[in-house]
Amino acid sequence: MGKLEVEALKDINLDIMEGDFVSVAGPSGSGKTTLMNIIGLIDNLTKGNFKLNDLEIKEQNPKKLAWLRRELIGFIFQSFNLLPVLNVFENVELPLIISKKGGSKAERRDRVNYLLEEVGLQDRSKHIPAELSGGQQQRAAIARALVTKPRIVIADEPTANLDSETGEKVLRLMKTINQEEKTTFIFSTHDPEIWQIADHVLFLHDGRIREELRR
């Protein structure tokens, strides 16, 4: 703001491997969101280097970055970011149409219905976001992030709006996908349950990695 410069991240040295299940923890202002946005190709580095699949990200143009986001990454935003004019089914199906990964209309329908059933939303598939609770919108956002079978899923507090039973079911689904499909999951979370099932935990404080655990 103005002339004030804030270093959101400092001296971060980090390797995340394919198939990792990563939890990024830390107090507000610790740099979690900035780190997630850099990994998700939403924010750019001002210093240092970042490689994704051996690609030096600083060297990629905006068109290539957009392609990488579309092809490799699924996002679960804390604010949901569902399209208000589309119903739940259409919101979840949209990434399949944009990425052209969904195959035939019947194959897209089967994939969307499978995920809606897994997150407990099959009976809400024709409802628009305004007709859903916050927890239901969160579950729709989770299904949308997983529908294209991305190689990396970046999740900002994915269980924050869910009751404990639904949160546990969603985490089991993500862990199963992680183990069976080698999908890399990176969570920014205050949820101790995610810390417990993560195989790679980062604790950030004042923009630095205070502690890093691998199991």
Side-chain angles (χ1 to χ4, degrees):
M1 297 176 64
K3 296 181 179 180
L4 179 64
E5 183 176 290
V6 176
E7 282 189 286
L9 298 173
K10 308 165 191 174
D11 303 321
I12 297 291
N13 187 4
L14 175 63
D15 288 314
I16 295 176
M17 310 305 293
E18 181 181 17
D20 273 0
F21 203 84
V22 185
S23 172
V24 182
S28 297
S30 61
K32 299 190 301 297
T33 298
T34 301
L35 179 61
M36 303 280 279
N37 285 350
I38 288 173
I39 295 171
L41 310 181
I42 294 174
D43 288 346
N44 294 319
L45 295 166
T46 51
K47 298 176 183 176
N49 300 288
F50 170 44
K51 285 187 176 182
L52 178 64
N53 279 10
D54 293 325
L55 285 175
E56 179 56 67
I57 293 304
K58 273 189 174 181
E59 298 172 0
Q60 310 307 313
N61 60 41
K63 186 176 180 179
K64 180 68 172 181
L65 293 176
W67 182 88
L68 288 167
R69 281 193 298 268
R70 187 185 72 222
E71 294 298 312
L72 297 181
I73 303 173
F75 294 93
I76 303 170
F77 298 99
Q78 195 170 5
S79 54
F80 316 132
N81 288 352
L82 299 173
L83 295 179
V85 297
L86 300 182
N87 64 34
V88 168
F89 185 98
E90 293 164 338
N91 263 286
V92 176
E93 183 187 33
L94 186 61
L96 288 175
I97 297 172
I98 293 172
S99 66
K100 300 180 181 178
K101 289 182 178 180
S104 68
K105 186 175 182 179
E107 288 171 326
R108 291 200 308 269
R109 183 189 64 237
D110 290 345
R111 176 66 178 167
V112 173
N113 283 333
Y114 163 73
L115 284 171
L116 290 180
E117 184 175 357
E118 288 296 313
V119 300
L121 276 184
Q122 207 164 31
D123 62 340
R124 294 289 187 270
S125 65
K126 300 304 180 185
H127 292 245
I128 62 173
E131 297 170 334
L132 303 177
S133 68
Q136 290 168 337
Q137 290 185 57
Q138 180 73 298
R139 284 183 272 161
I142 290 169
R144 181 186 59 187
L146 299 176
V147 74
T148 60
K149 299 183 179 180
R151 300 314 308 145
I152 303 167
V153 174
I154 293 177
D156 186 8
E157 295 284 358
T159 59
N161 296 286
L162 305 181
D163 60 77
S164 58
E165 183 179 350
T166 304
E168 288 175 10
K169 183 176 181 179
V170 166
L171 286 177
R172 285 198 303 270
L173 171 64
M174 292 182 182
K175 191 65 176 178
T176 298
I177 292 172
N178 165 253
Q179 292 172 337
E180 293 182 354
E181 302 179 13
K182 299 300 181 185
T183 303
T184 303
F185 282 82
I186 307 170
F187 299 87
S188 169
T189 182
H190 292 92
D191 187 344
E193 288 198 25
I194 296 181
W195 303 349
Q196 290 169 10
I197 65 172
D199 49 43
H200 188 179
V201 184
L202 303 170
F203 294 96
L204 297 186
H205 187 74
D206 290 341
R208 290 186 165 89
I209 297 176
R210 186 184 67 190
E211 187 176 2
E212 183 174 5
L213 303 174
R214 279 191 178 272
R215 299 188 176 99

